[in-house]
Amino acid sequence: MTKIDQVLNAPADASSRDELESAVVRFAGDSGDGMQLTGGQFTEATALAGNDLATFPDFPAEIRAPVGTTFGVSSFQINFGARRIMTSGDDFDVLVAMNPAALKVELPRLRKGGLLIVDTGTFNERNLAKAGYDASPLDDGTLDPFRVVALDISAMTQEAVKEFGLSKKDALRSKNMWALGFVYWLFGRPRITTQEWLTAKFANRPEIANANIAAMNAGHAMGETAELPDGIHGFHIAPAEIAPGLYRTVTGTEALAWGLVKGAELAALELMFASYPITPASPLLHSLAKLQHLGVTTFQAEDEIAAACAAIGASYAGAIGMTSSSGPGIALKGEAIGLALSAELPLIVVNSQRGGPSTGLPTKTEQSDLYQAVYGRNADAPLVVLSTRSASDCFEVGIEAVRLATKYMTPVMLLTDGYIANAAEPWRIPDLDGYEAFPVEFTTDPEGFHPFLRDPETLARVWAKPGTPGMMHRIGGIERSYDTGHISYDPENHHKMTKVRAAKIDGIAKDIPEQSVELGETSGKLAVVGWGSTYGPINRAVDNLIHRGKDVAHIHIRHIWPLPENLGELLKSYDTVLVPEMNNGQLITLIKAEYLIDAKPLNKISGQPFKIKEIEDAILDILEG
Amino acid sequence: MNELTPPEKRTAKDFATDQEVRWCPGCGDYAILRAVLNTLADIEADPANTVFVSGIGCAARFPYYVETYGFHTIHGRAPAFATGIKLANPELDVWVVGGDGDMLSIGGNHLMHVIRRNVDVQVLLFNNEIYGLTKGQASPTSRAGTRSPSTPLGSVDNPVSACVFVLGAGARFVARGIDAQQKDLPSILKRAHAHNGASFVEILQNCIVYNDGVFADITEKAVAADRQVVCRHGEPLVFGKDQDKGIKLNTETLSLEVVEIGEDGPEAAGVLVHDETNRTLATMLAGMDDETLPVAVGVIYCDPGESYGDGMARVKDQAVKRAEGADLKSIMHAGHTWTVAD
């Protein structure tokens, strides 16, 4: 397959498109420029063209940062190709920069020889100064290493939408569609999905819809007809080889919402979801709020604590209570989660992790709440911790969370992150009838009943819900007697109950799949052990190096607590274990503590996902170092 | 205790559990428990369908002593748990019990929101103006100058009025009772129970150990009639041993004052007639804390509106209608999909 820079260096031939294996495109502009929408549209069209893909929306914490500043830059990255795409890509092949600030922020990651599409209409003195440029980078040689398509997109957009009689401000709002039209031409993408989307979105304002469509068509026409510099012409990326089936694109948030709904259905329980707005977790509340017709109840609580408490109240009343937040909010929920595990009620707690501590980097991704999930409560307070590796994985993990919470009467912490929540990828829509139900059986027999009677095998307590005749009982956060379920301050009893609570969670290791090896052998020189959204870059890096003959394997952990039963033995069968994490080393501590093995950390705490090359380099350091 | 169909009407005793009550001897909570058990018998509550929810504190032990479902939760959060319970099963009859520290300090936020949402629960706030379980610190309802282990020279902060606070939060049922008033308290509780939406009852409760006699100036037999005005809808706001005093609106200062009722009766004296649907009047009555005015007891305000549960059900119905039968499968298949062939 041809590399994009070879194509760019090839003689101009506008009549044919050059074949590429994959490409990384980054749309960058001001927060108000609509880059996320533009990227979303390109994603949809690319998925329909049959490519595999992964995306990375990267936007500022401020809703509207001052226009034209570097901290107001909002970007959307997509990696798509004719092969399996594991990450949103490292450096970009194509960068669309809608203003000087976007160029300033993103140019360092455009590959040498990469294609830069830039709106020169925004390169005035004021915007250059805001971006921190002393001189225009268009003229001073800064862009020499790149292939540059410098066009006055602003002016051409205004020209294209002239006939609709919009104000200048409204007219300029269509320039993202002009750029999208151009990129559609570049990769031979059909425009029909975006045209339909615009028509529906602006059904009440057809002049806006038409202006946007006209801008997109103008951008597309520019690619088709204009003389572009340096032999730039269109590319073709063949459909990827993907397992047969019916596909759609899905974000982690959507897949998780659906997985939780499906899980509740399999458990035969009502779903009550209580949450408080926080970045980047709020979209899950929004997604579930749209599913009320499926019996889902969503509740926007007054604070994080109330959200957790309401969810626990719902579980107490016989539903499956769920709450969701990001690290700081999870911290606030800690006491309530302690009650849920003490009163032994099922509860799902979703943590969309973000950069921390404290407010940290709200819109940037990190996986630094593993300690909080596993250890972050007062006293001996074990619960189940699961993690999700990708957008599509969220569906399965959502179901697994409900299964474990209800079967074992325990809170389950489900770790996802801002990257997974927002990123989109193609998803083979699962067969909803193919899942085995796990309906909850409420206790209704008063004979010999007390609320802390346990299943001898799972150690889960019985669940009698209010409204059931003859089963009246009181529970709470005070220690209760193992034998009667009544309040007990007996010292021996507290020792026993603490051990039982721990044994119940530990026992779940027998009820989860053994740890498998994603790639490579089950023993050897090096295992790369990851969890969560590092799946893509680790998998691709290991795959690349296996193809280069290296003795390396990829292990990815979904069940963080309890850990799979065979994990310790498995890890001991490798000479070295490398643990890449987007934190300062948390899973590695857990593994060391549990198995007393030596492991090497690889930490990236920049709010950005790992690059494949960073992981490859770390692996080669160990194997060859 | 476990029969499915009770042969005859339950008595207060049937609503008591076998658990040893662990409040201090002489605590006002005993009297409130008695009043609640009597109320449950009186309204023929279904124990299987009744839930008592509490936070932390002396008052919060309450659920252990009532033979219904009970959830003893964490400090201040009982209203949030109760909201979740009602959202999951709107049919349950939910009572929330807590003290002044639990509901107005650490849980003040949740009290505000359960009230403003109008969740259909009965909130009973046992106000003894002190922290009991933590051994006698000043509480958010303690009067300024209260000496306690945490305020040895007297508290500096001003107290909050529970009833005025909830009225400000949009309460639609507000009442005030007194622990020892075994005749009046159950009738207030009965009305609270009958109200659809959040009903709030402040119960003045004597803490015999840390704040004994804090309400003596209004509850002692010798002064009670002169220091309490009982609010009865549609009746003049009269009080005093001889029913010779009334509450009047001073239209110049826009404040309430006491007026002597002469021979021509309350109307001639300008005594206000209690209108429990009048929020402004209720707020003024609830706020009478000046020694020249009596303390208002009884149902101060009652003006029902749509409860949270009813509103949520209405919205859910709307969602079902709009969805036109869409299920999870159709949602997952909606939008752009494509088929990858073998």
Side-chain angles (χ1 to χ4, degrees):
Chain A
M1 287 287 179
T2 325
K3 289 274 183 215
I4 193 167
D5 44 358
Q6 291 171 325
V7 173
L8 290 167
N9 286 323
D13 180 6
S15 65
S16 70
R17 290 181 174 271
D18 286 293
E19 201 68 22
L20 288 184
E21 189 184 41
S22 69
V24 176
V25 177
R26 184 136 171 138
F27 298 93
D30 197 66
S31 295
D33 283 343
M35 291 296 102
Q36 302 305 321
L37 289 176
T38 309
Q41 286 301 305
F42 190 76
T43 301
E44 190 113 308
T46 298
L48 286 174
N51 295 132
D52 198 17
L53 64 89
T55 70
F56 179 41
D58 191 6
F59 44 84
E62 295 77 11
I63 300 299
R64 284 286 158 89
V67 176
T69 56
T70 51
F71 49 91
V73 172
S74 174
S75 303
F76 187 99
Q77 184 171 326
I78 176 169
N79 183 7
F80 57 107
R83 61 171 186 175
R84 285 290 291 154
I85 298 295
M86 304 306 301
T87 75
S88 58
D90 290 358
D91 290 341
F92 334 132
D93 299 306
V94 177
L95 170 64
V96 179
M98 300 301 286
N99 69 1
L103 185 69
K104 179 95 178 182
V105 170
E106 305 292 3
L107 194 63
R109 288 180 55 203
L110 179 61
R111 288 190 316 98
K112 298 282 181 279
L115 180 63
L116 171 68
I117 300 156
V118 60
D119 178 7
T120 57
T122 60
F123 279 64
N124 55 37
E125 234 170 80
R126 198 155 161 254
N127 284 340
L128 287 166
K130 277 193 205 167
Y133 281 118
D134 297 327
S136 174
L138 301 176
D139 311 321
D140 67 357
T142 304
L143 304 183
D144 287 353
F146 311 101
R147 304 281 155 171
V148 183
V149 179
L151 299 165
D152 191 341
I153 295 175
S154 297
M156 287 189 284
T157 301
Q158 282 175 275
E159 180 63 25
V161 307
K162 203 165 53 179
E163 60 177 296
F164 302 103
L166 303 177
S167 67
K168 184 179 173 191
K169 195 176 157 200
D170 277 348
L172 281 174
R173 285 209 169 140
S174 301
K175 67 183 179 178
N176 60 333
M177 288 297 122
W178 196 101
L180 179 63
F182 186 84
V183 180
Y184 274 163
W185 166 78
L186 198 60
F187 290 99
R189 296 280 173 260
R191 283 160 284 167
I192 183 71
T193 53
T194 298
Q195 188 176 326
E196 285 170 359
W197 175 77
L198 286 166
T199 307
K201 183 176 166 72
F202 296 109
N204 297 326
R205 295 196 64 191
E207 75 282 9
I208 301 278
N210 290 334
N212 275 290
I213 292 166
M216 174 174 71
N217 290 340
H220 193 268
M222 169 61 74
E224 255 172 0
T225 58
E227 292 248 339
L228 295 173
D230 290 336
I232 294 166
H233 47 114
F235 307 115
H236 179 253
I237 295 182
E241 276 192 27
I242 300 175
L246 184 66
Y247 281 78
R248 61 167 296 143
T249 60
V250 75
T251 65
T253 297
E254 288 168 325
L256 183 54
W258 299 335
L260 294 172
V261 169
K262 183 64 186 172
E265 181 195 311
L266 294 171
L269 296 177
E270 297 274 323
L271 193 171
M272 208 292 266
F273 183 88
S275 187
Y276 181 76
I278 184 170
T279 302
S282 308
L284 187 57
L285 171 62
H286 307 165
S287 285
L288 284 161
K290 283 190 269 186
L291 302 179
Q292 291 185 62
H293 57 285
L294 301 180
V296 173
T297 301
T298 54
F299 172 58
Q300 182 183 326
E302 59 268 30
D303 61 29
E304 296 284 1
I305 298 171
C309 294
I312 296 166
S315 287
Y316 171 78
I320 177 68
M322 304 187 184
T323 187
S324 153
S325 189
S326 191
I330 301 293
L332 286 166
K333 297 180 198 289
E335 185 194 7
I337 296 169
L339 173 67
L341 74 89
S342 165
E344 300 187 50
L345 285 166
L347 173 72
I348 311 289
V349 184
V350 178
N351 181 353
S352 297
Q353 299 166 93
R354 68 188 212 187
S358 188
T359 307
L361 307 172
T363 60
K364 304 299 174 192
T365 197
E366 205 164 277
Q367 41 182 191
S368 49
D369 295 344
L370 184 142
Y371 285 165
Q372 183 192 44
V374 177
Y375 302 121
R377 290 158 297 283
N378 61 302
D380 292 306
L383 45 66
V384 176
V385 182
L386 303 178
S387 68
T388 170
R389 63 173 60 164
S390 66
S392 50
D393 191 46
C394 285
F395 186 78
E396 305 296 331
V397 177
I399 293 172
E400 175 74 343
V402 181
R403 181 182 79 87
L404 293 177
T406 52
K407 182 170 178 184
Y408 293 91
M409 296 293 281
T410 177
V412 173
M413 185 83 76
L414 195 166
L415 296 175
T416 177
D417 63 38
Y419 175 72
I420 291 174
N422 291 311
E425 63 180 16
W427 182 43
R428 186 163 63 155
I429 303 172
D431 172 14
L432 287 177
D433 301 326
Y435 292 88
E436 199 181 331
F438 41 85
V440 166
E441 284 178 30
F442 290 100
T443 303
T444 55
D445 183 4
E447 191 57 42
F449 167 78
H450 78 74
F452 285 86
L453 284 174
R454 287 172 196 283
D455 180 312
E457 202 165 307
T458 63
L459 298 179
R461 78 168 180 93
V462 293
W463 191 4
K465 63 174 173 179
T468 315
M471 307 297 283
M472 288 80 73
H473 64 275
R474 276 65 53 190
I475 60 170
I478 299 183
E479 187 64 280
R480 74 254 358 119
S481 161
Y482 181 89
D483 298 313
T484 67
H486 288 311
I487 289 178
S488 168
Y489 294 99
D490 177 65
E492 299 302 319
N493 179 70
H494 178 56
H495 183 89
K496 182 174 183 177
M497 286 294 275
T498 301
K499 291 290 188 186
V500 166
R501 284 187 286 265
K504 178 175 85 169
I505 302 300
D506 290 346
I508 293 173
K510 294 195 285 285
D511 192 17
I512 60 176
E514 288 214 329
Q515 182 61 51
S516 59
V517 178
E518 296 291 323
L519 286 173
E521 304 298 323
T522 54
S523 64
K525 276 193 183 155
L526 175 65
V528 185
V529 179
W531 65 284
S533 68
T534 53
Y535 180 82
I538 294 175
N539 200 260
R540 179 44 53 89
V542 170
D543 192 40
N544 289 347
L545 294 179
I546 287 174
H547 279 100
R548 283 160 58 183
K550 303 296 177 189
D551 182 3
V552 56
H554 176 202
I555 293 170
H556 216 75
I557 301 175
R558 171 186 281 179
H559 292 84
I560 305 286
W561 197 263
L563 290 160
E565 270 192 313
N566 65 326
L567 183 63
E569 286 312 305
L570 180 64
L571 296 183
K572 284 171 188 166
S573 65
Y574 296 92
D575 297 344
T576 310
V577 170
L578 173 70
V579 186
E581 293 181 86
M582 293 187 291
N583 60 40
N584 203 26
Q586 298 195 6
L587 177 67
I588 193 171
T589 309
L590 195 69
I591 286 175
K592 285 179 172 178
E594 288 300 306
Y595 307 124
L596 299 176
I597 58 165
D598 190 19
K600 292 185 166 36
L602 174 63
N603 309 113
K604 180 167 185 180
I605 323 152
S606 61
Q608 301 290 328
F610 273 107
K611 292 180 181 180
I612 295 163
K613 186 158 186 322
E614 290 165 344
I615 294 172
E616 284 179 355
D617 289 348
I619 293 170
L620 292 173
D621 265 0
I622 290 170
L623 293 178
E624 294 166 5
Chain B
M1 202 79 69
N2 288 332
E3 75 276 29
L4 301 186
T5 45
E8 55 197 56
K9 201 179 156 203
R10 289 183 180 82
T11 65
K13 222 176 145 192
D14 294 326
F15 282 97
T17 60
D18 58 359
Q19 295 293 292
E20 185 192 339
V21 182
R22 295 197 185 193
W23 289 314
C24 306
C27 175
D29 287 354
Y30 284 95
I32 302 172
L33 177 60
R34 193 159 61 238
V36 169
L37 296 180
N38 279 324
T39 304
L40 292 174
D42 198 25
I43 61 177
E44 298 185 35
D46 175 1
N49 213 44
T50 305
V51 185
F52 276 80
V53 186
S54 66
I56 294 293
C58 295
R61 292 297 182 92
F62 205 89
Y64 291 113
Y65 309 134
V66 189
E67 186 55 42
T68 61
Y69 285 90
F71 198 7
H72 180 208
T73 69
I74 52 177
H75 204 8
R77 322 297 173 196
F81 286 96
T83 301
I85 290 169
K86 287 293 286 189
L87 282 170
N89 185 355
E91 302 305 316
L92 294 173
D93 190 4
V94 177
W95 299 73
V96 179
V97 176
D100 41 301
D102 192 55
M103 289 222 207
L104 289 168
S105 202
I106 192 167
N109 191 31
H110 309 302
L111 177 61
M112 170 166 80
H113 291 280
V114 78
I115 294 290
R116 81 166 170 93
R117 290 191 183 107
N118 205 24
V119 182
D120 187 19
V121 297
Q122 293 79 245
V123 179
L124 311 186
L125 189 154
F126 301 4
N127 182 9
N128 57 17
E129 298 190 1
I130 207 78
Y131 282 87
L133 203 57
T134 52
K135 303 197 185 337
Q137 299 84 354
S139 92
T141 52
S142 295
R143 293 161 213 190
T146 297
R147 288 173 188 270
S148 79
S150 59
T151 54
L153 301 178
S155 59
V156 174
D157 27 351
N158 294 308
V160 61
S161 161
C163 290
V164 174
F165 171 72
V166 295
L167 279 162
R172 292 184 162 276
F173 182 97
V174 179
R176 187 185 280 136
I178 295 169
D179 53 5
Q181 291 182 348
Q182 288 301 307
K183 201 160 72 70
D184 300 328
L185 190 52
S187 65
I188 291 172
L189 296 175
K190 208 170 150 180
R191 281 217 46 202
H193 180 262
H195 176 80
N196 182 29
S199 35
F200 177 82
V201 183
E202 177 189 18
I203 303 170
L204 306 183
Q205 175 243 328
N206 191 46
C207 173
I208 197 163
V209 173
Y210 294 110
N211 216 9
D212 194 22
V214 70
F215 299 116
D217 61 331
I218 52 173
T219 59
E220 285 295 302
K221 238 184 189 147
V223 297
D226 287 321
R227 294 286 296 122
Q228 298 173 26
V229 58
V230 182
C231 302
R232 294 188 186 90
H233 184 58
E235 292 183 23
L237 289 157
V238 299
F239 66 103
K241 257 195 255 357
D242 306 316
Q243 297 286 290
D244 57 347
K245 287 178 276 195
I247 304 293
K248 185 186 169 187
L249 177 69
N250 181 325
T251 52
E252 283 185 9
T253 61
L254 282 182
S255 58
L256 298 180
E257 62 187 24
V258 173
V259 63
E260 298 287 334
I261 301 174
E263 281 178 7
D264 298 334
E267 199 179 336
V271 172
L272 286 166
V273 172
H274 183 48
D275 175 2
E276 67 181 20
T277 67
N278 183 329
R279 179 176 292 274
T280 307
L281 175 62
T283 307
M284 294 178 94
L285 288 169
M288 294 194 300
D289 59 358
D290 158 351
E291 275 168 21
T292 65
L293 290 162
V295 169
V297 295
V299 178
I300 298 171
Y301 184 64
C302 178
D303 184 20
E306 185 184 56
S307 73
Y308 193 58
D310 291 345
M312 290 293 269
R314 177 170 50 75
V315 169
K316 208 172 252 187
D317 281 349
Q318 244 172 21
V320 169
K321 276 188 199 119
R322 273 194 203 178
E324 294 172 343
D327 59 5
L328 183 59
K329 186 174 175 186
S330 62
I331 292 163
M332 285 167 50
H333 287 245
H336 289 289
T337 58
W338 67 96
T339 301
V340 175
D342 277 307

